[in-house]
Amino acid sequence: MKKQYISDAVIRRLPRYYRYLDELHSRGVVRISSSTLGRRMGVTASQIRQDLSCFGEFGQQGYGYNIIELRAEIGRILGVNEPRRLIVLGAGHLGHALLQNFDFAQGGFLLDTAFDVSPALIGRSVNGVTIHALGDLDAYCAVNHPAVAVLTVPRAAAQELAERLVALGVRGLWNFTNVELSVDETVFVENVHFADSLLTLSYRISKKAGVERT
Amino acid sequence: MKKQYISDAVIRRLPRYYRYLDELHSRGVVRISSSTLGRRMGVTASQIRQDLSCFGEFGQQGYGYNIIELRAEIGRILGVNEPRRLIVLGAGHLGHALLQNFDFAQGGFLLDTAFDVSPALIGRSVNGVTIHALGDLDAYCAVNHPAVAVLTVPRAAAQELAERLVALGVRGLWNFTNVELSVDETVFVENVHFADSLLTLSYRISKKAGVERT
């Protein structure tokens, strides 16, 4: 595989390819052309071929992609077949919702422990994940070396906790706190900004309203 | 303002500009150049100038952008100064987390009512928002005409509820259910796919691990 710079836009499309291929596979589809896949995803066929060419040779001219093979290959690129341990910091409503409904295992993540400061939550278990006191974090990390931490704590606690997690060896932060975290550049922060998504919707309905009025 | 096709990528960057300008404004910054703004956001200065040129003339050659003005203008483009009513469907953990922590008003949304089917939740109030029985939805919409509905209901309920909301006049769905909704094309669906975000992080830490091993 040739090494080359891979743009952020390409990286962000990979999980979407993975998700669409997953859905097609679950519906029993075996092969798909880049033009059909592109139509479903709202990108061009050439965009798909170009994106995938960053990672190697996929598909066969005129035959399209084998869905199981392409899905497995994209999963490998995304690292889902490398088991990594993940912990959840903050078991309030959002943390609880993720513990209860989100399929961490599908992304290759092992999750058995969450942390919180609330005595009402410590010791409880959600969907097989035990909630521990935040005071136990250092001891847990020393033994289990989690690679990723999910931050669903109050804003005021976010930066200090992020620094502590990085010092404990965490290499990725999935950040729901809406705080722009400042951490060592060798650590990856993936921010979930709900507002960006809602404002995109706001733009679309507002333009639509404008069109209707004229 | 010239009318032109505006790409999805540009539309998705607008809320980010808005968020960064907001942060700069709250820190007392008055002007910023496109190159400084771009460096902070990880895009090029020419990208910013090109994005904004889709909507009109902003900034002054050599003087950069006035942050308050540019923020207000982008807010106007995003529709945040047009008050629109929003309802939340599903007041479980995720719905509760949004009601409690998310600032809907900042996006120009009026929110006073959520709906759920659980007798334990109906009649309760979260952050000033009253939770009503789902049976009251039609009557509420007939009077209040909500423009946007937030879907934080179980997967199995999503499609039917989406169709009902569209029939009741809702024009935008903010969809957290992970179901690909099939609705009339005049309605906008903005999907929040947590998995896409986590898989992006998975990719980055996995590549980093690869680099370290070599």
Side-chain angles (χ1 to χ4, degrees):
Chain A
M1 190 187 301
K2 55 189 170 184
K3 284 270 175 200
Q4 58 179 67
Y5 171 75
I6 295 165
S7 79
D8 193 62
V10 175
I11 295 166
R12 296 210 164 266
R13 278 194 291 272
L14 286 180
R16 288 186 61 211
Y17 291 132
Y18 192 67
R19 178 155 49 79
Y20 276 82
L21 291 167
D22 215 40
E23 193 204 323
L24 289 164
H25 174 54
S26 72
R27 285 172 36 213
V29 184
V30 174
R31 297 195 81 82
I32 194 164
S33 66
S34 50
S35 56
T36 308
L37 182 59
R39 219 167 19 245
R40 294 181 60 90
M41 292 185 56
V43 296
T44 64
S46 72
Q47 177 79 81
I48 290 181
R49 288 192 295 264
Q50 198 184 315
D51 284 355
L52 297 179
S53 74
C54 297
F55 301 97
E57 300 285 331
F58 299 100
Q60 206 182 337
Q61 188 76 40
Y63 287 86
Y65 301 107
N66 175 305
I67 285 175
I68 292 181
E69 280 173 24
L70 183 60
R71 179 181 168 281
E73 193 56 35
I74 292 178
R76 195 192 57 70
I77 294 166
L78 290 170
V80 303
N81 52 349
E82 305 163 21
R84 287 143 308 169
R85 196 167 285 278
L86 173 148
I87 53 177
V88 172
L89 281 294
H93 286 289
L94 180 56
H96 195 122
L98 290 171
L99 292 173
Q100 194 161 278
N101 300 316
F102 187 78
D103 191 349
F104 288 97
Q106 197 175 32
F109 290 98
L110 310 173
L111 166 63
D112 59 14
T113 307
F115 295 89
D116 205 290
V117 293
S118 162
L121 297 175
I122 293 164
R124 283 183 57 188
S125 176
V126 178
N127 201 11
V129 177
T130 312
I131 303 169
H132 286 256
L134 191 59
D136 298 342
L137 179 64
D138 296 35
Y140 177 90
C141 291
V143 175
N144 297 285
H145 308 290
V148 170
V150 184
L151 285 183
T152 58
V153 295
R155 290 180 63 95
Q159 178 62 37
E160 191 185 329
L161 187 55
E163 290 170 20
R164 182 171 162 196
L165 288 160
V166 169
L168 290 168
V170 164
R171 295 181 290 121
L173 296 169
W174 198 22
N175 177 26
F176 287 80
T177 68
N178 223 27
V179 171
E180 291 289 328
L181 299 172
S182 165
V183 292
D184 188 288
E185 63 185 8
T186 62
V187 174
F188 294 95
V189 179
E190 171 71 16
N191 296 303
V192 179
H193 285 294
F194 290 141
D196 289 8
S197 170
L198 183 60
L199 286 179
T200 303
L201 184 61
S202 173
Y203 171 84
R204 293 192 205 280
I205 63 168
S206 135
K207 296 315 119 181
K208 180 178 169 246
V211 168
E212 280 178 344
R213 275 198 294 268
T214 55
Chain B
M1 190 186 298
K2 57 190 168 183
K3 283 272 175 199
Q4 58 179 66
Y5 170 76
I6 295 164
S7 79
D8 193 63
V10 175
I11 294 166
R12 294 207 167 269
R13 278 193 291 272
L14 287 180
R16 288 186 62 213
Y17 291 131
Y18 191 66
R19 178 155 48 78
Y20 276 82
L21 291 167
D22 215 42
E23 193 204 325
L24 289 164
H25 175 53
S26 72
R27 284 172 37 215
V29 184
V30 174
R31 297 195 80 83
I32 194 164
S33 66
S34 50
S35 57
T36 308
L37 182 59
R39 216 164 27 241
R40 294 182 60 90
M41 293 184 56
V43 297
T44 64
S46 72
Q47 177 80 81
I48 290 181
R49 289 193 294 267
Q50 197 184 316
D51 284 355
L52 297 180
S53 74
C54 298
F55 300 98
E57 300 287 332
F58 299 100
Q60 206 181 336
Q61 189 74 41
Y63 288 86
Y65 300 107
N66 175 303
I67 286 175
I68 292 181
E69 281 174 22
L70 184 59
R71 178 181 170 280
E73 194 55 37
I74 292 178
R76 195 192 58 71
I77 295 165
L78 290 170
V80 304
N81 53 349
E82 306 163 19
R84 288 143 306 171
R85 195 166 285 279
L86 173 148
I87 52 177
V88 172
L89 281 293
H93 285 288
L94 180 57
H96 195 121
L98 289 171
L99 292 173
Q100 195 162 278
N101 302 316
F102 187 78
D103 190 349
F104 288 97
Q106 198 175 33
F109 290 99
L110 310 173
L111 166 63
D112 59 13
T113 307
F115 295 89
D116 205 290
V117 294
S118 162
L121 296 175
I122 293 163
R124 283 183 57 188
S125 176
V126 178
N127 201 11
V129 177
T130 312
I131 304 169
H132 287 257
L134 191 59
D136 298 341
L137 179 64
D138 296 36
Y140 177 90
C141 292
V143 174
N144 297 286
H145 309 291
V148 170
V150 184
L151 286 182
T152 58
V153 296
R155 289 180 64 95
Q159 177 62 36
E160 190 184 331
L161 187 54
E163 289 170 21
R164 183 170 161 198
L165 288 160
V166 169
L168 290 168
V170 164
R171 294 180 290 123
L173 296 169
W174 198 22
N175 178 26
F176 287 80
T177 67
N178 222 28
V179 171
E180 292 287 330
L181 298 172
S182 164
V183 292
D184 187 288
E185 63 185 10
T186 62
V187 174
F188 293 95
V189 179
E190 172 71 16
N191 296 303
V192 179
H193 284 294
F194 290 141
D196 289 7
S197 170
L198 183 60
L199 287 179
T200 303
L201 184 61
S202 173
Y203 171 84
R204 294 193 204 279
I205 63 168
S206 139
K207 296 316 119 178
K208 182 182 166 241
V211 168
E212 281 178 343
R213 275 199 294 266
T214 56

